[in-house]
Amino acid sequence: MTKPIKGRTGMIEFRGVNKWFGTLNVLKDITLSVEPREVVVVCGPSGSGKSTLIRCINGLETIRDGDLVVDGQRLADPATNMTRLRTEIGFVFQSFNLYPHKTALENVTLAPIHVRKIPRAEAEKAGRELLAKVGLADKVNAYPAQLSGGQQQRVAIARCLGMRPKIMLFDEPTSALDPEMISEVLDVMVAVAEEGMTMMVVTHEMGFARKVAQRVVFMDAGAIVESGTPDEFFSHPKTDRSRAFLSKILRH
Amino acid sequence: MLENFSLRTIVEYLPLFGQGLVTTVWLSVLSFAGALAVGIVLAAMNLQRGWLFRVPAKAYIDAVRATPLLAQLYFLYFGLPRLGIILPELVVGILALSLNSGAYVAEIIRAGILSIPRGQVEAGVASGMTYVQRMRLVILPQAFKVTIPPLLGQAIVLVKDSALLSLIAVAELTRAGQLLASDRFMPAEGFITIAAFYLLLYYGLKGLAALSGRWLGLAGART
């Protein structure tokens, strides 16, 4: 059953990936390679499959056919230990999904202690440093309900970093935030990108894309329609669909 | 009826009521512990995706909820001896209450677990937790807080249901009232007294529920 992977692969490699929800073809023949340390921004209209695309990478969604290789491991291969692979992939949710019964620090240390088996004292030291890094040194003992949306999302990013992942995936990380909180989250994401993290970010924040992304991928109706550098994509979109999309998000 | 209400007889019978009350309390405690055990197992079975565990659990819960507790009690009381299993009345009674209440507890626990947002499961999955780790560290601690008030409600129901054990000659609180009623032909004295004791137990549990509610409210679990 184990099929060898042909050729060299990127950190994340989609090869002819298809996915259906019932009869709806939500991912159509996706081929995409993300190199180590690369930052790729995925954008497109709602329902275009961008969230589904990144949720496939850590197996929150499964694919019907095609190959998806992450960190050298084929997800479809029964020998691939998904639980293990997920420890290498941080995932930041639109709605944060912090553990409400745990403090900020406990949110950050829970998986390192129980999944990575890092000694508690060491995990807590690292957790405090990470919370300081995202600007929340004074919120270590706060519960999520006591934090603003922007603060919660920064804790969520610290929670991912606590696992020392090779890849970070962001699923519309600023879409649920009040406008004045967006930049504090984007600043943290820029810092993570500048440290050389491999990232895929579903977002419409063009400022972020221009600043750190090497590539923008535009999706529509489950397919990748266009991909290029942020400059190419935002200044000279090649397809009618991407022009129509950009005119809508730029107008406001 | 009440013009010759005899407080003196009630006082005379107080030791019997006291013993009945004590028996009701500890058999309720044991039964509720049993109900929790049954309920946890049933809820776990009912939450499985495969039918192998889910279908029997659902059938059991439906059967218990659709039939009277009295019928279930007699089913065990008269049925077990025919299978060659002879148990003291008290044990049969505790067994019946545990098995009955367990079905309701199972639904409370299941509802508590299902009330935890899907995103909590996904956060656990995404950070590489196994099913058991997710349950232990993320889902159950949150579900536990949601289920305490309805569980205490179920405990109150169980205490009242335990009155049925008087019918299989378990010397609990209601039995004490029956004895007074039949020995002295004083049903009013007998049953008003036990009603007062049940009310006492009810307020005890209700106070516990209120305390737990306040404690849970302070524990910072709100989102």
Side-chain angles (χ1 to χ4, degrees):
Chain A
M1 198 41 221
T2 308
K3 208 165 62 178
I5 308 159
K6 287 190 197 114
R8 68 171 285 283
T9 60
M11 190 63 122
I12 303 166
E13 180 117 358
F14 289 85
R15 290 181 178 173
V17 166
N18 274 285
K19 178 175 178 62
W20 278 266
F21 284 138
T23 55
L24 187 66
N25 194 186
V26 288
L27 291 181
K28 288 179 193 155
D29 210 17
I30 301 286
T31 295
L32 173 72
S33 180
V34 179
E35 298 301 313
R37 305 173 72 85
E38 193 180 11
V39 177
V40 174
V41 160
V42 184
C43 64
S46 113
S48 59
K50 34 192 209 307
S51 288
T52 309
L53 180 81
I54 66 165
R55 285 167 62 87
C56 287
I57 296 168
N58 72 347
L60 284 177
E61 306 282 351
T62 52
I63 58 173
R64 170 84 72 87
D65 55 43
D67 247 346
L68 177 50
V69 183
V70 179
D71 193 21
Q73 300 181 64
R74 280 181 70 232
L75 296 204
D77 190 334
T80 297
N81 182 341
M82 274 313 293
T83 309
R84 184 75 180 275
L85 182 58
R86 285 186 182 115
T87 64
E88 309 291 347
I89 307 169
F91 196 101
V92 176
F93 298 89
Q94 181 178 351
S95 49
F96 331 133
N97 296 348
L98 290 181
Y99 307 127
H101 58 305
K102 302 279 183 192
T103 63
L105 182 62
E106 288 166 345
N107 265 278
V108 177
T109 57
L110 192 69
I113 290 171
H114 294 278
V115 178
R116 281 266 198 239
K117 311 290 183 200
I118 294 170
R120 181 174 294 270
E122 197 181 310
E124 283 181 354
K125 185 167 172 284
R128 282 173 202 280
E129 285 167 11
L130 282 167
L131 284 170
K133 190 169 144 185
V134 300
L136 293 171
D138 54 334
K139 298 291 183 187
V140 166
N141 294 317
Y143 284 92
Q146 299 166 317
L147 300 173
S148 72
Q151 290 170 332
Q152 289 192 53
Q153 193 62 298
R154 284 185 281 154
V155 173
I157 294 171
R159 174 171 71 173
C160 292
L161 293 173
M163 293 295 279
R164 309 209 172 286
K166 294 181 180 166
I167 298 168
M168 289 273 283
L169 306 172
F170 296 79
D171 187 6
E172 306 208 30
T174 56
S175 302
L177 297 178
D178 291 335
E180 73 269 27
M181 293 172 181
I182 291 177
S183 67
E184 66 190 46
V185 171
L186 291 179
D187 288 346
V188 169
M189 290 167 60
V190 169
V192 174
E194 282 170 350
E195 284 174 15
M197 181 69 72
T198 307
M199 288 167 55
M200 275 185 85
V201 184
V202 175
T203 185
H204 295 153
E205 294 294 336
M206 286 179 305
F208 172 81
R210 282 186 187 276
K211 200 163 182 180
V212 294
Q214 276 86 46
R215 219 172 353 145
V216 174
V217 168
F218 174 70
M219 288 183 74
D220 190 25
I224 292 179
V225 176
E226 189 171 334
S227 118
T229 66
D231 244 13
E232 284 168 7
F233 179 73
F234 292 121
S235 311
H236 311 287
K238 286 179 284 219
T239 61
D240 289 344
R241 276 186 287 180
S242 54
R243 272 192 289 272
F245 171 75
L246 283 173
S247 75
K248 275 179 201 148
I249 63 167
L250 289 176
R251 192 181 303 152
H252 301 290
Chain B
M1 178 174 94
L2 291 182
E3 60 267 27
N4 45 18
F5 189 83
S6 170
L7 271 178
R8 186 182 299 167
T9 319
I10 293 175
V11 172
E12 191 188 320
Y13 269 74
L14 264 187
L16 183 68
F17 284 117
Q19 284 168 16
L21 179 70
V22 170
T23 307
T24 288
V25 168
W26 72 257
L27 81 79
S28 295
V29 169
L30 280 183
S31 300
F32 196 64
L36 281 177
V38 171
I40 288 168
V41 172
L42 282 174
M45 288 169 70
N46 206 355
L47 285 167
Q48 299 305 309
R49 214 171 281 168
W51 58 270
L52 187 66
F53 290 105
R54 208 182 62 233
V55 169
K58 277 199 192 306
Y60 176 87
I61 291 167
D62 285 344
V64 167
R65 296 215 296 184
T67 55
L69 172 57
L70 184 60
Q72 296 160 15
L73 182 64
Y74 281 160
F75 179 77
L76 290 176
Y77 185 64
F78 296 112
L80 287 178
R82 299 192 60 174
L83 295 172
I85 304 168
I86 313 285
L87 294 170
E89 289 87 357
L90 192 61
V91 177
V92 175
I94 290 172
L95 198 62
L97 285 177
S98 300
L99 291 174
N100 174 272
S101 207
Y104 295 91
V105 167
E107 290 296 84
I108 291 171
I109 293 175
R110 190 174 74 108
I113 290 173
L114 291 179
S115 75
I116 306 306
R118 174 88 197 134
Q120 292 291 306
V121 178
E122 291 192 346
V125 169
S127 63
M129 290 184 195
T130 62
Y131 175 82
V132 173
Q133 284 172 331
R134 261 168 9 235
M135 273 294 172
R136 184 165 66 84
L137 301 168
V138 178
I139 306 302
L140 290 181
Q142 294 184 62
F144 178 68
K145 296 188 172 181
V146 191
T147 52
I148 290 216
L151 280 180
L152 281 167
Q154 181 59 35
I156 290 169
V157 171
L158 188 148
V159 169
K160 290 187 295 173
D161 281 350
S162 73
L164 284 180
L165 301 199
S166 61
L167 297 173
I168 58 168
V170 173
E172 44 69 73
L173 189 53
T174 301
R175 184 75 184 152
Q178 283 175 350
L179 286 177
L180 175 53
S182 54
D183 290 358
R184 301 285 181 92
F185 305 107
M186 289 181 174
E189 284 81 351
F191 291 117
I192 285 175
T193 309
I194 63 161
F197 279 116
Y198 279 116
L199 203 61
L200 208 66
L201 289 176
Y202 168 76
Y203 278 118
L205 281 167
K206 210 179 153 195
L208 208 61
L211 269 181
S212 73
R214 201 175 312 160
W215 171 65
L216 296 174
L218 284 175
R222 300 274 175 275
T223 36

